[in-house]
Amino acid sequence: EIQNALETSVSLGYERTFLNALDVSAGLRGSLYLSPESRLYHGLCPELSVSYDMSRSGVLRAAYGWKKQHIFQTGLSNVGFPLEFWVLSGKYADPQKCQYAEASYEVDLFNDMLGLSVGAYWKKLYDQTEYKGDILDLLMSEYDLHEKLLKGKGWNYGLTFMLHKQAGKFTGWMNYSLGRSLRKFDNPLYQGVFPSNHERIHDLHLMGSYRIGHWNFSGTFVYASGLPFTAPEYFHLASGQLIIDYGEHNAFRMRPYMRLDLAVSYYFNRDSERENGINLSVYNVLCRSNELLYRLFVDDDGYRFGPVSMPFNLMPSISYFHKF
């Protein structure tokens, strides 16, 4: 389905510094949105942020505000594949709104050799929309997106931690986040609070790079909690039609996502004006079969419900680069 809409916005901003250390920024954004069905939506979104520079002791930041979004993503996997699709606000859902608050602290350590950042965030979400079907729905001749959407409100909250080595032959960073993303739907069949389709409770990223002479060695490690999904309790044939009865919404999780990538580069020339060299990299060195989604399989042995994984485990590549 092709959708067309019109969005217009105007923003006002104010910034001021007090005592050479306290920065205050305030803003107000007004929006006017005309949906594909010619429905008119409008609203105001205020924002306020404060930053206090404590010199060598670090920087404290805090922010509060509202945001509004007139386009939302839904689908079957939440991993960036064509199993997701974008839908405009209008007949399928109202514009999504968010009230948020966040705070952070940043400081440089050991003569700026290391950078440390910690933060916390909280979000109250309104008019949230999630997809509750599976990939077999797209094969139905009478497919109705309205029947596959759950609508309600939600809460996101969590903590973030980042350590960054910024100087020396060895550089890199570690980023870890702990968070929850919860939803409560208006549908009477979905009582209670559920994890959202894209919730990853733990998310860890490690990246390191070591430079010696013309050589540069690097690696990236990623670990993340598995995404939640809804599993069927049983399925059967009735009058030639496959009937699927699902269990509790998002009550199961995929295996944790884990990947290690390694690379080595040799620079023929590397200065302030240009650089060129050759790079050899290996994607997913651990050959881990990470899961994308769960679906129903039909084969000679009958029916089974299982994971769909990445189509390749290990992928080497070689490239030549020239920057000028």
Side-chain angles (χ1 to χ4, degrees), residues 106-126:
E106 300 176 11
V107 64
D108 292 325
L109 305 171
F110 306 110
N111 295 322
D112 298 336
M113 181 68 70
L114 293 178
L116 173 66
S117 173
V118 293
Y121 65 90
W122 170 87
K123 297 179 181 180
K124 177 68 178 295
L125 309 170
Y126 306 87

Side-chain angles (χ1 to χ4, degrees), residues 60-176:
L60 285 171
R61 293 187 173 90
Y64 172 81
W66 285 78
K67 291 184 181 296
K68 181 179 290 188
Q69 182 171 295
H70 298 102
I71 182 173
F72 63 92
Q73 184 186 32
T74 186
L76 304 170
S77 70
N78 298 293
V79 292
F81 282 82
L83 300 171
E84 295 95 50
F85 46 88
W86 293 90
V87 179
L88 292 172
S89 300
K91 66 177 181 179
Y92 293 116
D94 291 330
Q96 300 185 39
K97 296 181 288 293
C98 167
Q99 178 186 189
Y100 70 92
E102 55 191 25
S104 65
Y105 171 69
E106 300 176 11
V107 64
D108 292 325
L109 305 171
F110 306 110
N111 295 322
D112 298 336
M113 181 68 70
L114 293 178
L116 173 66
S117 173
V118 293
Y121 65 90
W122 170 87
K123 297 179 181 180
K124 177 68 178 295
L125 309 170
Y126 306 87
D127 298 310
Q128 293 300 289
T129 304
E130 288 202 357
Y131 194 76
K132 68 180 181 69
D134 61 31
I135 197 169
L136 296 179
D137 298 329
L138 304 179
L139 304 178
M140 298 174 59
S141 59
E142 297 181 357
Y143 177 77
D144 186 358
L145 181 59
H146 278 288
E147 298 179 356
K148 304 302 178 182
L149 294 179
L150 290 172
K151 302 175 183 180
K153 57 185 178 181
W155 303 266
N156 294 355
Y157 54 88
L159 303 172
T160 61
F161 173 88
M162 184 173 183
L163 186 64
H164 184 195
K165 188 175 186 299
Q166 309 171 91
K169 290 186 177 180
F170 176 79
T171 59
W173 50 267
M174 178 184 70
N175 184 42
Y176 171 74

Side-chain angles (χ1 to χ4, degrees), residues 109-258:
L109 305 171
F110 306 110
N111 295 322
D112 298 336
M113 181 68 70
L114 293 178
L116 173 66
S117 173
V118 293
Y121 65 90
W122 170 87
K123 297 179 181 180
K124 177 68 178 295
L125 309 170
Y126 306 87
D127 298 310
Q128 293 300 289
T129 304
E130 288 202 357
Y131 194 76
K132 68 180 181 69
D134 61 31
I135 197 169
L136 296 179
D137 298 329
L138 304 179
L139 304 178
M140 298 174 59
S141 59
E142 297 181 357
Y143 177 77
D144 186 358
L145 181 59
H146 278 288
E147 298 179 356
K148 304 302 178 182
L149 294 179
L150 290 172
K151 302 175 183 180
K153 57 185 178 181
W155 303 266
N156 294 355
Y157 54 88
L159 303 172
T160 61
F161 173 88
M162 184 173 183
L163 186 64
H164 184 195
K165 188 175 186 299
Q166 309 171 91
K169 290 186 177 180
F170 176 79
T171 59
W173 50 267
M174 178 184 70
N175 184 42
Y176 171 74
S177 62
L178 171 67
R180 297 303 309 269
S181 178
L182 305 174
R183 300 292 182 265
K184 183 175 179 61
F185 303 114
D186 300 331
N187 193 317
L189 299 179
Y190 293 81
Q191 297 291 332
V193 177
F194 305 92
S196 71
N197 290 345
H198 59 268
E199 182 189 63
R200 291 192 186 275
I201 299 177
H202 302 281
D203 200 337
L204 173 67
H205 291 252
L206 300 174
M207 186 275 174
S209 176
Y210 181 74
R211 180 183 177 185
I212 178 171
H214 291 270
W215 294 91
N216 190 84
F217 302 89
S218 62
T220 302
F221 177 77
V222 179
Y223 175 88
S225 299
L227 294 171
F229 69 94
T230 304
E233 291 186 332
Y234 60 88
F235 35 86
H236 60 275
L237 282 174
S239 301
Q241 298 292 325
L242 182 63
I243 307 299
I244 306 175
D245 290 310
Y246 289 93
E248 186 177 355
H249 182 70
N250 283 351
F252 297 86
R253 286 188 180 269
M254 303 179 192
R255 288 194 310 159
Y257 181 94
M258 185 166 59

